[in-house]
Each structure stands twice: as C-alpha cells, then as structure tokens.
Amino acid sequence: PGSLDEYIAHDGYQALGRALTELGPLGLRDLVAASGLQGRGGAGFPTAKKWQLAASSPGEKRYLICNADEGEPGTFKDRLIMEGDPHAVIEGMLLAAYATGSTQGFIYIRGEYHGSIQVMGQAIAQAKKAGLLGENIFGTDFSFQITIATGGGAYICGEETALLESMEGKRGEPRQKP
C-alpha cells in the first residue's frame, strides 16, 4: 500500500491515463453507465447518473468529496481500502473528478482513523510528486488537488449535507435542501 511504484506495476493509473487521453469526460461517463457501477452506500445509486448530475450542475467550481467517515457501528470497509490500496482511492477520485469537472477533492476521514490519515497522506504526497495530482495531469488541461479533512465520527455525517456542515466546522446536522 505504501508504494506508488507497486501500484503502477499492477496497472495503476492506467484507467486515468485512458480517460484523459482517449475517452474524455463524456466517454468516461458512458463507459461507467454501461458497466452498471453503483455507489457503495445503502441506496446503491448509479454512479454514472450521479456523475452526470454533478457535471451538469451550475457553477464555475466543483468539489468532490470522498466520504470515508464510516459512522455506522462496526463498519470498517473504507478503512481497509484506504490503508490497503490508497492509490486506488486516489485514482477513483481522479476519475470521478474528471467525469464531473471537479478541480478540488476532499477525503473526509474519521478523526480516530490515524492509520488511514497517515497512509492516505503519504499516498497523496507520492501522487503529487509523480505529477498524478496537481496541475496538467498526464500533460492535459485537467488539474485536481486532494485535501484530507477529518470528522468526529458521527453516524449522521453519512448524510451529505451533514457531512458538509461538519467539514465547515459546524455541528454535523442535515441542512435544508432547495
């Protein structure tokens, strides 16, 4: 998990390279739609539909948030992925960002997941150093940054607006949606 070279040796970041140099954002969304990929949350929302909604939303700047808080009692799947394959998390975020037009990403990690925070921080630093995060990735006009944000570990922060409240330093309570 701590080796970028090992991840690349096993075809890591090839999907990103193909998306940026061959598919384009629309082609990537079409490929994901054809795959039937669904979110890992309880609703199993279709990933391509979520990406399309995000890509077509108004606004000049888009943000991508990877919710790795795991507020549900007894769950730790996200922790295992972050600590066991951090570059897969980063590559997945890069693909989602490219498909949606996002330029800034956040990984929202439960504050007591010290190991996950450390491993993800190291992987982000490695990806930046290798030019896989930052400006003009793979020599294209796509740029993306990732920042780690820590949360208090509240079940309610699985709801998207409560997560945003927590990230903004407020109590993690749901917002009214328009």
Side-chain angles (χ1 to χ4, degrees), residues 107-129:
I107 302 176
Y108 183 78
I109 303 175
R110 177 180 278 251
E112 60 264 24
Y113 281 6
H114 303 288
S116 298
I117 293 166
Q118 179 183 2
V119 170
M120 286 306 307
Q122 290 170 345
I124 289 167
Q126 290 172 347
K128 282 181 184 176
K129 185 175 180 182

Side-chain angles (χ1 to χ4, degrees), residues 88-108:
V89 175
I90 293 169
E91 185 173 20
M93 288 183 70
L94 283 159
L95 289 165
Y98 183 61
T100 60
S102 300
T103 57
Q104 175 65 51
F106 297 91
I107 302 176
Y108 183 78

Side-chain angles (χ1 to χ4, degrees), residues 26-37 46-49 51:
L26 180 59
L28 176 58
R29 290 194 305 266
D30 288 345
L31 183 67
V32 170
S35 77
L37 181 67
T47 301
K49 184 163 180 74
W51 287 3

Side-chain angles (χ1 to χ4, degrees), residues 144-158:
F144 188 68
Q145 302 288 340
I146 296 177
T147 302
I148 294 174
T150 57
Y155 178 76
I156 193 64
C157 288

Side-chain angles (χ1 to χ4, degrees), residues 148-166:
I148 294 174
T150 57
Y155 178 76
I156 193 64
C157 288
E159 194 278 332
E160 62 193 30
T161 63
L163 181 145
L164 293 172
E165 289 288 306
S166 175

